[in-house]
Amino acid sequence: MTPALPRTDRGRLLLVLALATLVTLFTATVPLLRDWFDLRVYYGSIDSWVHHGGRVYDYRVPGTPYGFTYPPFAAVAMLPMALLSLHAAIAVALLLNLAALAVVLRLLAGPDRRRPGWYGWALIACLLALFEPLRDTFSFGQVNLLLLALVLADATLLATGRGRLAGVGIGLAAAIKLTPALFIGLLLVAGRRRAAAVATAVAAGATALAAGVDPDASRFYWTEALWDTSRVGRLGYVSNQSVQGVLARLGEPDRAVWAVAVLLVLGVWALRARRAVAAGDWTAAFALTGLAACLVSPITWVHHLVWLLPSFVVLVRAGRPRVAGALYGVLCTSVVWLWFDDASGVDGFLGSNTYAWITLGLLLWLPAGQPRPGLRTGSRSTSTTTAAPVPTAPTISPASVQTDPCSACTAAATAGGVVTAGRAGAGGAPSEPTASTLPADLKPQSSSERASSYTADPPPS
């Protein structure tokens, strides 16, 4: 028998305040706090480049071997940081991430965004604060949410028949970080050649702009830094929840094995994404692409798994809120860190790769490509594509509330989904130099001996 949830505004307010207090205590004491480490890398690199005549890729965080690892256009996009102090840059990064999260939720909720009401959105905010990839994105000062918002904006344009500008967001995201380039592949799989061309042109144009601003930095990145994984961190580190991370923890260094695994993942993705597109199920197509991008990237730190958020939309829309709630709950636990020191044995193989197994399972079994009553796929022409009616998903309303908090959050936040008709696209390249890593001897966490998710080596015993 499930406990009754409050039905009065006063009771709901008290429940929200209680949950917010618990979440605050949890985030202040349990998770690893990253002390804005990646933002410090960005800021230090830009400051050295602009104010001290240094080179972008030469900068290292004092006391560490880690520096800037993104494509040159990312540095150009971050140039405004040169006008700010470090603390001001941290404040701006926090506001940008909050704004990007609001955009992501708005796009995922679709036309039903008002249905949860203040109570539903308050519960959603509390539950999102527990999601480890989001916690890490905010705590590191990372850019994942901004990229997700760019990609989902393109998805909405394509799904609603406003496809003339579609591809711009994906192109910009791919120029800032290589992983979203796989969404260009989705555009090609979907037959959206115009959008794929726009995304490719935008990415190429942004890359050319960066080359014009700093030719030496561009030459160094594309010929040397991109291929040097030591700049990013140890492949076998427990935070790397990609296929490469799984193989590295198994002690399998053969790149041929990794390449075969990547091809298998891409084959499954292309088949399932194509079926989803054929059925007009754009939410599933974008969700599958985000899943595949996380798996095939050589390094997928835990904070990269914000790309899994659209998958919960699909699960809830397909009538599986309990599954969505259970998987979401696991991704809130930081369970992989239990094997930080030793990932050997069967338990290490299963436990240290928990998030990778969830990602792979979603890629294989996410409900996708299932036509729904009243769905109209839309034509290939971006000017005539018709958006399908948005199916009703479980939501939180003033009179009735989901009894499962995780399910309620997911259902309300993602009611309807971002893209339910038309042909959309998104991107992500399988190789990506990720943000900087934090060495074990610094350990900037507030309440744990465990190292940052970018630590190159475990701390000495």
Side-chain angles (χ1 to χ4, degrees):
M1 182 176 179
T2 57
L5 294 177
R7 294 182 176 276
T8 65
D9 283 344
R10 177 183 175 85
R12 290 168 182 153
L13 178 59
L14 291 175
L15 176 60
V16 168
L17 291 176
L19 288 176
T21 300
L22 291 174
V23 168
T24 301
L25 290 173
F26 174 80
T27 54
T29 59
V30 178
L32 303 178
L33 302 181
R34 314 302 186 177
D35 196 28
W36 312 99
F37 185 81
D38 288 356
L39 183 62
R40 293 175 187 273
V41 172
Y42 310 152
Y43 184 84
S45 299
I46 299 302
D47 180 68
S48 174
W49 182 30
V50 174
H51 297 300
H52 304 287
R55 296 194 300 177
V56 174
Y57 296 101
D58 284 349
Y59 174 81
R60 296 291 185 273
V61 175
T64 83
Y66 303 110
F68 201 79
T69 57
Y70 292 169
F73 179 70
V76 174
M78 294 177 185
L79 276 174
M81 280 198 295
L83 304 175
L84 305 174
S85 67
L86 175 60
H87 289 93
I90 290 173
V92 170
L94 178 60
L95 292 174
L96 286 175
N97 270 327
L98 287 171
L101 179 58
V103 170
V104 167
L105 293 177
R106 163 66 181 85
L107 295 174
L108 290 176
D112 292 335
R113 63 187 182 278
R114 292 186 179 88
R115 294 181 62 185
W118 72 267
Y119 178 52
W121 284 115
L123 293 180
I124 290 167
C126 289
L127 294 178
L128 285 173
L130 300 176
F131 192 52
E132 185 177 3
L134 277 178
R135 296 198 316 254
D136 272 4
T137 290
F138 277 88
S139 187
F140 273 121
Q142 261 286 343
V143 299
N144 308 299
L145 282 173
L146 297 171
L147 303 183
L148 180 58
L150 285 171
V151 169
L152 291 180
D154 265 355
T156 302
L157 288 174
L158 287 164
T160 55
R162 296 171 293 171
R164 290 189 177 276
L165 294 178
V168 174
I170 291 171
L172 287 173
I176 293 171
K177 215 171 179 182
L178 297 182
T179 296
L182 186 59
F183 287 89
I184 299 177
L186 176 59
L187 295 175
L188 294 173
V189 167
R192 288 303 184 100
R193 294 182 179 85
R194 174 190 172 90
V198 169
T200 302
V202 169
T207 301
L209 173 64
V213 172
D214 193 334
D216 288 340
S218 293
R219 178 199 57 77
F220 176 77
Y221 176 79
W222 295 109
T223 61
E224 297 185 42
L226 175 60
W227 315 104
D228 183 6
T229 57
S230 66
R231 294 177 59 90
V232 184
R234 183 166 55 87
L235 292 175
Y237 187 63
V238 73
S239 183
N240 184 14
Q241 293 292 306
S242 67
V243 169
Q244 180 77 295
V246 174
L247 293 175
R249 284 186 286 278
L250 280 175
E252 177 52 68
D254 192 343
R255 287 185 174 270
V257 175
W258 173 70
V260 170
V262 165
L263 289 176
L264 289 174
V265 168
L266 290 176
V268 171
W269 160 75
L271 180 63
R272 302 210 69 213
R274 188 180 185 89
R275 289 176 178 173
V277 168
D281 193 350
W282 282 104
T283 307
F286 273 80
L288 289 167
T289 305
L291 295 168
C294 289
L295 288 170
V296 302
S297 175
I299 290 183
T300 296
W301 302 130
V302 168
H303 65 75
H304 293 169
L305 298 180
V306 295
W307 292 99
L308 270 60
L309 285 174
S311 298
F312 297 112
V313 179
V314 178
L315 288 171
V316 172
R317 187 194 63 198
R320 302 182 186 179
R322 292 180 182 273
V323 176
L327 295 179
Y328 187 92
V330 174
L331 286 163
C332 293
T333 62
S334 302
V335 64
V336 297
W337 297 100
L338 294 175
W339 288 270
F340 169 72
D341 292 314
D342 183 8
S344 62
V346 175
D347 66 313
F349 175 69
L350 297 176
S352 68
N353 301 310
T354 299
Y355 295 171
W357 302 141
I358 290 176
T359 307
L360 180 60
L362 287 170
L363 179 68
L364 294 173
W365 293 296
L366 190 73
Q370 301 173 0
R372 297 177 299 285
L375 181 67
R376 289 182 291 172
T377 304
S379 69
R380 290 179 181 269
S381 169
T382 57
S383 62
T384 60
T385 303
T386 304
V390 178
T392 301
T395 56
I396 300 173
S397 63
S400 172
V401 184
Q402 293 276 348
T403 57
D404 183 337
C406 286
S407 301
C409 164
T410 312
T414 60
V418 58
V419 278
T420 55
R423 301 183 183 275
S431 62
E432 170 213 352
T434 57
S436 55
T437 29
L438 185 61
D441 56 348
L442 292 185
K443 294 183 291 185
Q445 297 79 4
S446 64
S447 61
S448 174
E449 291 292 324
R450 293 175 292 176
S452 154
S453 66
Y454 288 132
T455 306
D457 295 296
S461 56

